[in-house]
Amino acid sequence: MHLSTIQHKIYEIRNQKVLLDFDLAELYEVETKRLNEAVKRNSDRFPERFMFRLTMEEWDSMRSQIATASNQSKRNTHITPFAFTEHGVTMLASVLRSKKAVETNILIVDAFIALKEFALNYVELSTKLKEIETAYSQQFKDVYDAINYLLQKDQLTIKQASRKRIGFKEN
């Protein structure tokens, strides 16, 4: 399994990066029903900052955006999926004790870390670009002014050449 596969299953809901229960079940190679049963048996390990249930509005919005979510034909339509934060996914490793769960959990944590590093690099790059833009904006303004002056000068020259000359004329 590749990190990119996992990263495509990470969504941003309520300003948090989360994985949905059916995606986790697929990654852990268990049924969604079994994953949720294990979570419910250990509900004291999953406070709301680790796991929360989507509202119907959030779920409807997600289903319209992603193909996997809209293809949940077996899911009870009145029950929305659970969303697990990074810490909730880590806690799942203690609930699901299979070798596959541990291996998958390591990959999922790596995917979250890679996303955080990407976000940090993006912020740094954005900041540097803004610094460069402000530092060179005056120089670029001067260059653009000079180019505009030269373009206008050519237009003025053409206008003057087409005017009827007055004064001393050579034959």
Side-chain angles (χ1 to χ4, degrees):
M1 184 179 331
H2 299 287
L3 283 181
S4 61
T5 305
I6 297 169
Q7 287 174 334
H8 289 299
K9 295 178 183 294
I10 297 175
Y11 306 104
E12 187 163 336
I13 303 172
R14 300 181 194 173
N15 295 321
Q16 296 185 59
K17 301 280 189 215
V18 297
L19 279 159
L20 301 177
D21 59 2
F22 58 87
D23 284 332
L24 284 166
E26 180 185 333
L27 293 171
Y28 290 134
E29 296 178 359
V30 297
E31 292 180 28
T32 306
K33 181 178 181 177
R34 300 297 167 230
L35 181 129
N36 288 337
E37 285 173 354
V39 169
K40 287 176 186 174
R41 277 195 307 270
N42 297 282
S43 61
D44 57 322
R45 295 183 183 201
F46 296 94
E48 188 147 335
R49 65 183 182 274
F50 288 7
M51 176 197 77
F52 56 88
R53 189 173 288 282
L54 297 182
T55 65
M56 195 55 94
E57 293 80 26
E58 290 168 334
W59 178 232
D60 287 340
S61 173
M62 286 199 66
R63 281 197 323 207
S64 66
Q65 293 174 15
I66 53 176
T68 32
S70 60
N71 196 12
Q72 293 288 307
S73 56
K74 293 182 182 179
R75 180 176 283 283
N76 181 344
T77 56
H78 300 337
I79 299 175
T80 58
F82 285 112
F84 292 84
T85 65
E86 181 179 357
H87 302 295
V89 172
T90 305
M91 190 58 74
L92 269 175
S94 65
V95 173
L96 304 172
R97 295 187 184 105
S98 72
K99 184 178 179 182
K100 177 68 178 176
V102 172
E103 291 171 358
T104 303
N105 215 50
I106 291 169
L107 287 172
I108 291 171
V109 170
D110 286 344
F112 273 109
I113 290 169
L115 281 174
K116 284 180 183 176
E117 288 174 357
F118 175 78
L120 287 173
N121 288 337
Y122 178 80
V123 169
E124 289 175 12
L125 180 62
S126 176
T127 304
K128 286 191 186 268
L129 284 174
K130 285 180 184 175
E131 288 174 6
I132 290 171
E133 186 179 291
T134 54
Y136 291 105
S137 65
Q138 183 59 42
Q139 291 175 355
F140 287 130
K141 183 182 179 308
D142 293 342
V143 169
Y144 288 132
D145 288 347
I147 291 171
N148 286 332
Y149 173 76
L150 291 173
L151 289 173
Q152 290 173 354
K153 182 180 173 189
D154 289 342
Q155 291 172 351
L156 291 174
T157 306
I158 293 169
K159 288 180 184 177
Q160 288 180 354
S162 62
R163 288 181 18 192
K164 181 179 175 187
R165 296 189 57 91
I166 58 172
F168 178 75
K169 296 179 186 177
E170 289 184 40
N171 290 333

